[in-house]
Amino acid sequence: MSLEFNNEEYQNEQTLFVDVILPLPLPLLYTYRVPREFSDKIKQGLRAVVQFGKKRVMTAIIAAVHHNPPKIYEAKYLLDLLDESPTVNSFQFRLFEWMASYYMCTQGEVMNAAIPSGLKLSSESKIQLNPEYSGNYEFAASEQLILDELQKKNLSYNDVMILLGKKAIHPIIKSLLAKGAVILFEELKDKYSPKVISKVRLREEILESKALFEEIFHKLEKKEKQLNILLRYMQLTQVQKDKNNNRLGIAKNILLKEDASASALSTLIKNNIFEEYDQVISRFAENNLKAEQEIKLSGEQLKAKEEILESFKIKDVTLLHGITGSGKTEVYIELIKHALQGGSQVLLLLPEIALTTQIVSRLHKVFGSKMGIYHSKFSDNERVEVWRGIISGKFSFIIGVRSSVFLPFDNLGLVIVDEEHESSYKQYDPTPRYHARDTALMLGRFHHAKVVLGSATPSVESYYQATTGKWGFVKLDKRFGEAQLPEILLVDTLREKKFKTMRHDFSSVLLEDLTLCLDNNEQAILFQNRRGYAPYLNCEECAYIPKCTACSVSLTYHMHSGELRCHYCGFTEKLPQKCDACGATKMKPVGFGTEKLEDDLKLFLPQARVQRMDLDTTRNKNAYQNIIQDFESGKTNVLVGTQMVTKGLDFDKVTFVGIFDADRIIHFPDFRAAERAFQVLSQVSGRAGRRGQKGKVLIQTANTNQNLLHQVIKHDYEGFYQLELAEREKFNYPPFYRIIKITVKDPEKNIAQEFAEAYVKLLAPELGSKRVLGPETPLIDRIRNNYLVDIFIKLEKDKINLTTVKEFLQRHSSNLLQSDKNYRNVHVVFDVDPA
Ligand code: ADP
Ligand code: ZN
């Protein structure tokens, strides 16, 4: 970053170099030389086009400008600059650096995740002829060569290099671009193709002259359709009151609503009364934004808001523990308004799935066009628009999924993480394996911003921070309005099985309550955390179970598609007609998933209008939204689903929730199982009775004595927390210890095992054997043809220099990888703070 230099040390003090972050997993930044023509423009944060290795051309981010040539290689010239002003700012650099170091990956990997691909150019970027080219430029021979080839097919940067037999092709392509003869494919597909709407307005001179205006009215007296349009225009825009309104015009489709005639409007345009023009608009619809009538915070909400603002004075982070339906969103809204009024930017993080729903439209109504939405289902175009919109100041408030921590904020005042306990904030794969909540905390720190974490079921770690005084702690323990928390009851499935009152997987009690609910014209949610029809097939003759060929898991039976599917690698095969092992035709589905519940329910309760919501039914962009809408409008009245139905949904008429197979969630072999179970069971229960009517929840279990279930029934978060915390302390888990999970992968089982053992032998003596656990074989020890072995590093929160330990782990891993050619396929994956 420093532009200072030392004349004595460098012979040619004029030469500028840059260190860049390449979108590659390289441990070091790479240095390029800056061509003289760019020396005035060069600065940190610009995107540059560089060549890396023999063939590859890619977009890099300039991280530092200096005068130090690299010591061991000759720096190549960078080929081009893509920006005039920075795409990445200094806050982001700091964050990227922190993430790379904390999550044990490279800055290139962070950058790759951070920057929307619409802002990247790679060797794969395609060049095509510009269909709209109409110039008559002279082309150089090399340019003509490219154009001729483009007549046949689109070319990548690599193709062009091969075609011309040289690497420095960028100036040629740039010249073709400048002449408008070609376009970069990404530019056509993604970059800056803004959304345009067609608008009309009155010709300026008509408004300027009263006489002219009256004349036109007179002329139109007999032309009713045209007159109607003119009157409608005046009414909608109120131009008589304020002439300036005319400049804003009106969208054609709005003017033409209510059977106004399109041909009449065309005539008006033809006769120079109206003019037609295009306006670039944001992709995030701005029309229909009526200012909602003010919502007033309830007494409790107001108190919570005041307490949070109070806690901001002395603490940077505050946990808002607000029960389901307490109206946290309204509290957030007030905090956001407050921060925006103070002139700073605001980020609200939401779990992936919550973003497509009700909360977004609620916030949009309040914040309108200031608000940008950053969602992984959005096109690259939309992501680039948000990125640029933050830089330009158009968006001061962003609501987004985990990757929005990467956005180019330069003045964050407030970060809110809703549903902070959600494990989907953690990215498992690929690197960076980061936790968006923890990253948001760091982001907040860099900006000196305040951070609010909100949840009805806080993570044990956050609750610990809040109740030990490190963070502020605010409670909201009443539901909004008249609503009360639902009544939760357990159903003993063992007993029902004994008395043969179960119908398939439905207990008689559950079916009765569900029937009652539907008879009352109310709605129900059924939760089973397993998709597909049955988790596996089993041959009744020889007990054979079909397994995935690439993973050590059984294949899930999906009835609707007639397939067996691997939920780990996506492998599918047709449903076998007979057992592959013994040939008998007695393959029987065992266990149950959402598909089976849906199917059985249609049989048992024909009056139920069932919709299923899981990964399989929500793959299309709008599927999720449609399911929600159908349920909201009453078209359907039972929603059967996986985790998806537990998150943030807010429906008036849901009075019953049924939970299947809670036991499997509780007994999942992981130290977070109890926490997860408490959260998911409380959250799904929280969907019931969110308005006047008190809701009811039934949990089916084979063991009604479980402590955790009784904590859920009593809405006893505190009780759950105290017991769980004691366990965590006893067995050295977070929040007392930090965990780094190391997974060794290799196509050969014994090599993975051998490597892991050798690695542990290197680590244990230095770290102490109490801190190094394993190697152990995970429950699923083979995925996509790779065998997995886990090692867990447990580190005390204090007394340990984390950075040193991480470097130590990485150094020994790379040394070991190089020590034996048998290890050439081994992959070592570090997961810091696994969720
Ligand atoms: P939470 O996220 O805490 O579970 P929500 O924010 O979804 O709760 O609020 C629950 C319901 O109560 C929503 O339908 C919301 O519109 C309504 N609500 C909350 N606060 C208010 C208020 N002050 N005025 C009117 N309606 C409110
Ligand atoms: Zn598989």
Side-chain angles (χ1 to χ4, degrees), residues 367-378:
F367 296 103
S369 58
K370 290 202 261 300
M371 175 174 116
I373 309 169
Y374 205 62
H375 192 274
S376 62
K377 282 212 171 137
F378 281 178

Side-chain angles (χ1 to χ4, degrees), residues 618-681:
T618 53
R619 285 186 206 276
N620 300 335
K621 190 173 175 183
N622 294 319
Y624 181 76
Q625 199 69 38
N626 293 342
I627 293 176
I628 301 262
Q629 268 162 18
D630 285 350
F631 196 57
E632 203 150 44
S633 69
K635 201 173 151 193
T636 54
N637 58 3
V638 183
L639 209 54
V640 177
T642 54
Q643 291 252 7
M644 279 187 188
V645 299
T646 67
K647 293 174 190 175
L649 298 179
D650 182 42
F651 298 108
D652 295 6
K653 292 178 83 182
V654 173
T655 55
F656 180 74
V657 167
I659 300 174
F660 294 78
D661 213 359
D663 301 338
R664 209 172 46 91
I665 306 175
I666 299 172
H667 298 291
F668 194 77
D670 179 87
F671 79 92
R672 284 188 206 276
E675 178 179 1
R676 281 286 136 67
F678 185 88
Q679 286 162 348
V680 79
L681 297 176

Side-chain angles (χ1 to χ4, degrees), residues 476-761:
L476 195 50
D477 44 20
K478 199 180 153 300
R479 277 195 159 179
F480 175 75
E482 300 301 301
Q484 297 167 36
L485 282 174
E487 174 189 25
I488 311 179
L489 300 170
L490 301 181
V491 181
D492 187 343
T493 50
L494 273 192
R495 206 183 126 87
E496 287 228 4
K497 274 183 186 146
K498 198 166 134 204
F499 290 102
K500 303 212 172 2
T501 50
M502 296 283 288
R503 291 184 77 186
H504 292 183
D505 311 296
F506 291 82
S507 63
S508 63
V509 191
L510 195 146
L511 277 178
E512 265 166 44
D513 277 341
L514 182 55
T515 310
L516 197 66
C517 162
L518 299 185
D519 287 350
N520 287 337
N521 217 357
E522 292 157 0
Q523 295 181 314
I525 290 178
L526 302 182
F527 168 60
Q528 159 65 345
N529 206 19
R530 191 163 226 172
R531 65 194 167 94
Y533 189 87
Y536 60 97
L537 291 184
N538 196 352
C539 173
E540 283 190 304
E541 290 293 344
C542 75
Y544 171 78
I545 297 172
K547 293 227 170 64
C548 178
T549 49
C551 312
S552 63
V553 290
S554 59
L555 294 169
T556 302
Y557 171 38
H558 287 252
M559 191 183 66
H560 288 265
S561 53
E563 282 171 343
L564 295 181
R565 257 187 234 162
C566 172
H567 285 185
Y568 284 80
C569 71
F571 168 83
T572 61
E573 66 178 32
K574 276 225 142 339
L575 185 69
Q577 296 303 311
K578 50 187 188 339
C579 175
D580 285 340
C582 73
T585 50
K586 289 193 176 170
M587 298 299 285
K588 195 180 155 223
V590 182
F592 64 103
T594 45
E595 259 189 21
K596 180 154 188 278
L597 287 185
E598 180 195 11
D599 239 57
D600 285 350
L601 194 60
K602 284 178 178 159
L603 204 68
F604 300 155
L605 293 183
Q607 74 268 42
R609 301 184 298 277
V610 191
Q611 172 66 275
R612 174 162 54 93
M613 182 154 92
D614 55 27
L615 206 62
D616 300 313
T617 60
T618 53
R619 285 186 206 276
N620 300 335
K621 190 173 175 183
N622 294 319
Y624 181 76
Q625 199 69 38
N626 293 342
I627 293 176
I628 301 262
Q629 268 162 18
D630 285 350
F631 196 57
E632 203 150 44
S633 69
K635 201 173 151 193
T636 54
N637 58 3
V638 183
L639 209 54
V640 177
T642 54
Q643 291 252 7
M644 279 187 188
V645 299
T646 67
K647 293 174 190 175
L649 298 179
D650 182 42
F651 298 108
D652 295 6
K653 292 178 83 182
V654 173
T655 55
F656 180 74
V657 167
I659 300 174
F660 294 78
D661 213 359
D663 301 338
R664 209 172 46 91
I665 306 175
I666 299 172
H667 298 291
F668 194 77
D670 179 87
F671 79 92
R672 284 188 206 276
E675 178 179 1
R676 281 286 136 67
F678 185 88
Q679 286 162 348
V680 79
L681 297 176
S682 307
Q683 292 284 351
V684 70
S685 302
R687 300 312 112 201
R690 291 167 72 88
R691 294 300 180 281
Q693 177 94 334
K694 191 174 166 109
K696 185 168 185 183
V697 180
L698 290 185
I699 304 179
Q700 294 195 161
T701 171
N703 177 2
T704 53
N705 285 325
Q706 301 175 84
N707 229 328
L708 190 127
L709 287 175
H710 289 272
Q711 290 155 352
V712 172
I713 291 179
K714 287 184 284 184
H715 307 284
D716 183 14
Y717 177 85
E718 185 66 31
F720 148 76
Y721 169 77
Q722 291 302 346
L723 275 184
E724 180 62 17
L725 195 71
E727 292 280 299
R728 298 284 183 92
E729 184 157 28
K730 191 163 148 204
F731 297 105
N732 297 352
Y733 280 115
F736 303 98
Y737 277 67
R738 228 182 264 282
I739 295 179
I740 299 174
K741 178 181 174 187
I742 306 173
T743 304
V744 177
K745 303 183 182 181
D746 193 89
E748 287 188 51
K749 192 181 171 88
N750 58 342
I751 291 199
Q753 184 66 29
E754 187 189 307
F755 182 95
E757 277 166 18
Y759 193 28
V760 165
K761 275 212 185 87

Side-chain angles (χ1 to χ4, degrees), residues 295-296 301 324-330 480 650 690-691:
I295 282 195
K296 266 223 168 88
Q301 290 169 336
T324 55
S326 57
K328 294 183 283 297
T329 316
E330 297 304 326
F480 175 75
D650 182 42
R690 291 167 72 88
R691 294 300 180 281

Side-chain angles (χ1 to χ4, degrees), residues 1-4 15-19 31-32 34 64-70:
M1 265 151 283
S2 154
L3 281 168
E4 300 152 37
T15 310
L16 278 175
F17 293 89
V18 288
D19 292 341
T31 305
Y32 287 87
V34 181
V65 183
H66 56 77
H67 291 270
N68 315 333

